[in-house]
Amino acid sequence: MLGTDFHPPSRQCYPNPNAQGALVIPEGNLRLPLPLGPKYGGRGYPLERYPALQLRIARTLTMPPCIYNHSRLPNFSQPESCLPMPFPVLIALAIILLYVLNSIKILKEYERAVVFRLGRVRHDASGPGVILVFRPIDQIVRVSLRQEAMEVPSQDIITRDNVTLKVNAVITMRVVDPVKAVIEVSNYVYQTSQFAQTTLRSVLGEVDLDELLAHRDRLNQRIQTIIDGHTAPFGLKVVSVEVKQVDMPENMLRAMAKQAEAERERRAKIIHAEGEFNAAAKLVDAAALMATQPMTLQLRYLQTLTEIGVEKNTTIVFPLPLELINLFNKTVAAPAIPPTVAPKD
């Protein structure tokens, strides 16, 4: 304990000459002159009455020289240092702050992060939102969950009927399991492209050209099912596959054009023959009907003359009675009577 016979060490707190009532520690008698005024009478009080103040003064004597002002009395419950924060501490705090700020990663709604901690992947993908990645302990791989369209390059295909074609396609896919897409394969886009090329050649090589052109939807569904079976183990879903373009040789195009032209001619001839057949059947029915009523033939004759007279032409029509025509027909149709020979006596 500090008493009146306490002699402080050589390191002392020097008073502030500009402040009234500053802390003074004399060599022989430790007293604390409080701020001068009529209330205190300018007297000092022995320190042994104040144990907390004794501890405060003992700590102060071990510090570098400092100045206490009477306008701000020290807090005896907590130690206080007069020195500013050292420069190396400031640098360390700044480095820690920058490290924490650099560890903050923001993921968009369509992104997921696969985090590797000390080389081991976490069970679930992180995101979206704010995550903390403490490098070099943690490593992050960003994976997009949006659909991606990939074009399959043109493939040389020989169909079942030995026709050489160049066919390309478009594949739509998306990632459903980011962890598997990162761990199971090195590049899921490249691997899906290779699967698509081989599947396109194998499937289209098993069909004829006519089937390829006529049933393209069914072939697209079959290719999608096969590719999806290959990509499912590494967390990829093939949404759709569409055969984009079919390129054929020039001679095949000309042959197909001739085939189409011949088919059109065949259909035209059949339609024309069917029309003639139907017209002949109707004419037979009309002739049978007119034979029962001779007057209908006369009316048809007069209608034809009317149609001819309406048009502007130089045709001269001589009406001929139908009775003469009928008489002529009967004369021609009558059988010839052979001459009679007189019998000989």
Side-chain angles (χ1 to χ4, degrees):
M1 300 294 292
L2 298 176
T4 56
D5 55 349
F6 177 77
H7 295 279
S10 60
R11 300 182 65 181
Q12 302 178 1
C13 283
Y14 299 96
N16 185 1
N18 298 324
Q20 183 183 8
L23 176 64
V24 179
I25 304 177
E27 291 288 342
N29 188 10
L30 289 177
R31 291 177 177 272
L32 179 64
L34 297 179
L36 299 179
K39 182 177 180 180
Y40 302 102
R43 295 172 53 189
Y45 293 91
L47 293 178
E48 54 267 11
R49 297 183 181 181
Y50 306 96
L53 186 57
Q54 295 177 16
L55 179 61
R56 178 63 180 166
I57 293 177
R59 292 174 177 173
T60 304
L61 294 177
T62 61
M63 299 179 185
C66 58
I67 298 176
Y68 290 98
N69 196 310
H70 75 279
S71 63
R72 184 178 181 271
L73 295 178
N75 185 4
F76 297 108
S77 62
Q78 297 180 357
E80 181 177 0
S81 175
C82 296
L83 288 177
M85 187 174 297
F87 186 71
V89 177
L90 291 176
I91 295 178
L93 291 178
I95 292 175
I96 293 174
L97 180 60
L98 291 177
Y99 178 78
V100 173
L101 293 178
N102 191 35
S103 300
I104 298 175
K105 305 295 180 182
I106 300 177
L107 300 177
K108 298 180 178 62
E109 184 67 29
Y110 57 85
E111 289 182 335
R112 296 296 183 270
V114 180
V115 181
F116 293 88
R117 179 161 295 172
L118 296 177
R120 300 182 64 87
V121 67
R122 298 175 61 180
H123 296 290
D124 297 329
S126 303
V130 179
I131 63 173
L132 295 178
V133 180
F134 300 102
R135 298 180 181 274
I137 299 175
D138 295 343
Q139 294 182 356
I140 182 175
V141 178
R142 295 174 182 260
V143 180
S144 177
L145 299 184
R146 294 180 294 183
Q147 288 189 5
E148 299 181 12
M150 179 183 63
E151 182 177 358
V152 181
S154 297
Q155 303 296 314
D156 293 329
I157 298 173
I158 300 178
T159 60
R160 190 170 59 182
D161 51 353
N162 297 324
V163 178
T164 303
L165 304 174
K166 284 184 175 294
V167 181
N168 61 348
V170 176
I171 297 178
T172 306
M173 59 186 179
R174 64 184 179 89
V175 177
V176 295
D177 193 341
V179 177
K180 290 184 179 180
V182 174
I183 295 177
E184 299 294 335
V185 292
S186 60
N187 190 342
Y188 61 87
V189 176
Y190 175 76
Q191 189 158 347
T192 305
S193 176
Q194 297 301 313
F195 282 142
Q197 295 178 26
T198 56
T199 305
L200 187 65
R201 286 196 297 266
S202 61
V203 171
L204 298 184
E206 299 175 356
V207 298
D208 297 333
L209 177 61
D210 295 337
E211 186 177 357
L212 172 60
L213 298 177
H215 304 91
R216 187 174 295 184
D217 295 337
R218 187 176 63 187
L219 295 175
N220 293 338
Q221 185 65 31
R222 182 180 174 187
I223 296 173
Q224 175 187 351
T225 304
I226 296 175
I227 299 176
D228 195 20
H230 289 296
T231 59
F234 51 87
L236 195 67
K237 173 65 178 177
V238 177
V239 180
S240 64
V241 176
E242 296 291 338
V243 176
K244 184 178 180 182
Q245 187 175 357
V246 179
D247 296 332
M248 292 180 290
E250 293 294 334
N251 54 357
M252 180 58 64
L253 293 176
R254 289 193 296 267
M256 293 181 63
K258 291 180 180 179
Q259 179 183 0
E261 184 179 357
E263 182 68 21
R264 294 287 182 179
E265 291 180 358
R266 182 182 67 85
R267 293 180 183 178
K269 291 180 179 180
I270 292 175
I271 293 173
H272 182 71
E274 290 179 353
E276 292 290 340
F277 178 79
N278 295 332
K282 296 297 181 182
L283 287 175
V284 171
D285 296 340
L289 182 61
M290 289 181 180
T292 58
Q293 297 292 335
M295 187 56 66
T296 57
L297 186 59
Q298 183 68 25
L299 293 176
R300 180 61 180 169
Y301 175 74
L302 295 176
Q303 184 180 0
T304 304
L305 292 178
T306 304
E307 293 176 357
I308 294 174
V310 170
E311 298 179 358
K312 295 180 180 181
N313 50 31
T314 58
T315 305
I316 300 175
V317 179
F318 294 95
L320 184 65
L322 293 176
E323 289 79 3
L324 294 176
I325 297 175
N326 293 332
L327 180 61
F328 178 77
N329 290 335
K330 291 179 179 180
T331 304
V332 173
I337 301 173
T340 57
V341 178
K344 295 181 181 181
D345 297 335

